[in-house]
Amino acid sequence: MAKGKNTVFYCQSCGYESAKWMGQCPGCREWNTFVEETAPKAGTKTGLAGRSRAGGEPVCLASIDLKEEERQTTHMEELDRVLGGGIVSGSLILVGGDPGIGKSTLLLQVCQQLTADRKRVLYISGEESLRQIKLRAARIGSFSEHLRLLCETSLSVVEETIRREQPQVVIIDSIQTMYDEEISSAPGSVSQVRESTHVLMQLAKGLNITIFIVGHVTKEGTVAGPRVLEHMVDTVLYFEGDRHASYRILRSVKNRFGSTNEIGVFEMKEKGLCQVANPSEFMLSGKPEGASGSIVACSLEGTRPILVEIQALVCRSNLGVPRRTAAGTDYNRVNLLLAVLEKRLNLPLSGCDAYVNIAGGIRISEPALDLGIVLALISSYQDRVIPDHTLAFGEVGLSGEVRAVSQAGQRVQEAGKLGFDTVILPEVCLEQVPEAPGVRLLGVRSVKDAVRLL
Ligand code: TYD
Ligand code: MG
């Protein structure tokens, strides 16, 4: 065996490990992502083997006391919903998002709420100075004296401080700045991030505390560094939204203690993030009246129906290959729907540019939007205005049929609440939908039916 330095190559995108350098990662098919890092020594910190663990003795399911699992509310209803009803002690929560989207602000507000509840909270920042945090806190409002701050990037100091201070909630801003001296690779690299997360996870489970970690997001929209991070933590929340628009959406993509796909809507104001209790109203503000190519659709995000405006613009193309764009929804789905229209309704759309946009900057990929997208496209193509207060939802299949979607009743109810008087929905869903006063339900079987209704 060679005695020299023991190194391995890690894919910086997915964490794939290899003994030699490779151009393309076999794990995630990314090019040029391998970086040489020191291999973790066997029996050191990395891996469960290195750390002393108590127990090993199995227990009866019935004997586990659930009392201590009770959830602590953050007094921010939108956040509580995304977390599945509040924070669970002993959990590790990853908050990802673009730079400047408001992760630090959100977590500082969580600190504010929790310390007001007399919780011991420790905010550890590796990015900002105490002064900067104080300035941000001054914008947000008044804080209780229970909040303790630490500016530190060394993992061992962080670990020691948490063990000494015994806080109930810890915020780590951000995981990419944490640094273990025993590993020679740079902060933010796969080994560092993995090791830091591992240590934090053991702290969370061992001391039964909640740890929030902030993770930066790459251009592709995943947490920078390894995807392995997502597998290690209990809950993954993504903070998204247009940086130029004022509202932000917090979405849970993984949650061991609640449902995923739940969203919380916030608005960034002068004094921090405010909750938006009725997002549908918010999303529909500014909808043009009497314009072709616009319709409202209903999507179910987690347990909550959200109404969004779909806009389409179809015009004659000057190019050999027509231009298509989709903002806020799946590009391939839009292409597929255009092909369905071309084939099933004989519309010559292959000679047209088509632009589809979900107004407001929210991203939705639920198939229930299909019918709305189709109607918006046709409305724009034929320049026919869809009456205001009309809403459509339903999945469109390849033969142009309109298929059932889940929770049709809830969607209709939300539409009624916001003053919609006509709802176009899949015919098969009609029987599940209870009568909604003042709302006319039009069941359709195929895209052709829907177009005839217009
Ligand atoms: P920040 O929480 O620093 O983002 P992240 O930690 O995700 O990088 O958010 C900073 C942005 O939010 C910055 O552009 C300023 C803005 N902001 C407000 O508009 N109002 C406020 O009260 C605060 C604290 C920040
Ligand atoms: Mg920050």
Side-chain angles (χ1 to χ4, degrees):
M1 281 252 292
K3 280 273 159 60
K5 228 171 73 193
N6 212 355
T7 61
V8 280
F9 291 83
Y10 285 113
C11 167
Q12 299 296 306
S13 153
C14 70
Y16 189 93
E17 191 180 323
S18 160
K20 59 180 180 21
W21 188 86
M22 280 186 277
Q24 188 187 26
C25 171
C28 63
R29 312 247 146 237
E30 286 289 320
W31 288 92
N32 215 4
T33 53
F34 277 92
V35 169
E36 187 173 19
E37 295 180 15
T38 325
K41 284 178 237 91
T44 55
K45 279 183 164 189
T46 312
L48 292 173
R51 296 197 162 243
S52 62
R53 297 259 322 262
E57 195 61 37
V59 293
C60 284
L61 179 64
S63 71
I64 301 169
D65 194 5
L66 274 188
K67 267 229 183 75
E68 46 195 274
E69 302 283 352
E70 262 173 30
R71 290 165 188 269
Q72 162 71 36
T73 163
T74 59
H75 299 289
M76 298 169 88
E77 217 179 290
E78 297 289 304
L79 177 63
D80 280 347
R81 177 169 346 92
V82 176
L83 288 171
I87 56 179
V88 179
S89 41
S91 65
L92 190 61
I93 301 164
L94 172 68
V95 181
D98 291 329
I101 199 85
K103 301 181 292 296
S104 307
T105 308
L106 177 74
L107 291 177
L108 201 58
Q109 282 182 267
V110 170
C111 292
Q112 183 187 27
Q113 299 292 345
L114 290 177
T115 47
D117 253 6
R118 313 200 130 263
K119 293 270 165 201
R120 292 188 306 278
V121 182
L122 177 62
Y123 186 102
I124 300 172
S125 177
E127 303 199 324
E128 292 163 312
S129 64
L130 292 172
R131 239 184 81 78
Q132 280 173 309
I133 300 172
K134 176 79 187 170
L135 281 175
R136 189 199 306 275
R139 284 182 79 168
I140 292 173
S142 60
F143 277 73
S144 124
E145 71 273 23
H146 293 283
L147 176 60
R148 298 176 64 83
L149 303 173
L150 174 72
C151 287
E152 187 54 65
T153 54
S154 160
L155 190 62
S156 48
V157 177
V158 165
E159 185 179 0
E160 198 198 300
T161 314
I162 293 176
R163 288 190 187 280
R164 192 184 58 230
E165 295 263 318
Q166 302 267 326
Q168 289 158 305
V169 177
V170 178
I171 317 274
I172 306 281
D173 192 0
S174 66
I175 192 73
Q176 273 94 3
T177 57
M178 292 298 137
Y179 184 82
D180 185 345
E181 295 84 358
E182 283 178 30
I183 301 175
S184 62
S185 44
S189 64
V190 172
S191 341
Q192 289 285 5
V193 169
R194 186 150 54 181
E195 178 61 30
S196 310
T197 313
H198 190 80
V199 168
L200 291 171
M201 173 147 81
Q202 294 205 322
L203 280 173
K205 308 284 173 209
L207 304 175
N208 200 28
I209 58 177
T210 306
I211 303 185
F212 284 89
I213 54 184
V214 170
H216 292 293
V217 157
T218 59
K219 278 201 294 306
E220 291 77 34
T222 53
V223 174
R227 285 302 288 273
V228 280
L229 203 61
E230 291 190 3
H231 298 297
M232 293 170 79
V233 300
D234 296 310
T235 303
V236 180
L237 308 180
Y238 274 112
F239 213 20
E240 55 188 42
D242 192 348
R243 209 141 41 110
H244 307 291
S246 64
Y247 71 86
R248 308 277 187 264
I249 289 154
L250 188 67
R251 190 187 293 274
S252 77
V253 289
K254 168 182 176 180
N255 196 349
R256 287 191 183 143
F257 310 108
S259 72
T260 50
N261 260 328
E262 203 67 74
I263 68 167
V265 185
F266 296 88
E267 194 180 356
M268 182 64 95
K269 291 204 178 149
E270 267 305 291
K271 294 188 170 181
L273 291 157
C274 299
Q275 308 183 58
V276 176
N278 193 344
S280 298
E281 220 166 77
F282 197 72
M283 296 290 162
L284 295 182
S285 59
K287 180 183 177 317
E289 297 208 344
S292 67
S294 155
I295 190 168
V296 176
C298 183
S299 164
L300 206 69
E301 295 292 316
T303 52
R304 186 160 59 161
I306 287 199
L307 306 192
V308 288
E309 184 199 349
I310 299 176
Q311 299 184 322
L313 184 65
V314 180
C315 50
R316 198 130 293 294
S317 179
N318 294 320
L319 304 167
V321 182
R323 246 180 93 81
R324 268 91 198 262
T325 67
T329 185
D330 185 15
Y331 172 77
N332 292 321
R333 191 90 202 158
V334 169
N335 275 332
L336 185 147
L337 294 173
L338 284 163
V340 169
L341 288 183
E342 172 126 27
K343 181 84 179 172
R344 306 292 167 197
L345 296 181
N346 292 321
L347 298 180
L349 291 173
S350 52
C352 296
D353 292 342
Y355 309 91
V356 172
N357 177 30
I358 310 285
I362 187 173
R363 267 204 74 80
I364 295 180
S365 49
E366 206 203 351
L369 287 196
D370 289 356
L371 190 60
I373 296 176
V374 162
L375 292 177
L377 285 167
I378 294 172
S379 157
S380 172
Y381 177 73
Q382 301 179 338
D383 206 9
R384 269 197 293 170
V385 178
I386 298 171
D388 290 328
H389 306 297
T390 304
L391 180 140
F393 63 83
E395 180 180 345
V396 172
L398 288 187
S399 19
E401 82 276 20
V402 176
R403 309 172 71 108
V405 296
S406 61
Q407 314 271 9
Q410 262 199 49
R411 299 179 204 248
V412 170
Q413 218 177 21
E414 176 81 0
K417 243 194 279 173
L418 282 155
F420 285 81
D421 53 22
T422 312
V423 173
I424 305 174
L425 71 170
E427 196 171 54
V428 279
C429 287
L430 275 180
E431 31 193 270
Q432 316 162 11
V433 178
E435 275 298 309
V439 182
R440 193 159 53 113
L441 299 176
L442 304 173
V444 291
R445 247 190 239 169
S446 65
V447 175
K448 248 185 212 149
D449 289 354
V451 174
R452 224 174 286 135
L453 282 181
L454 296 183

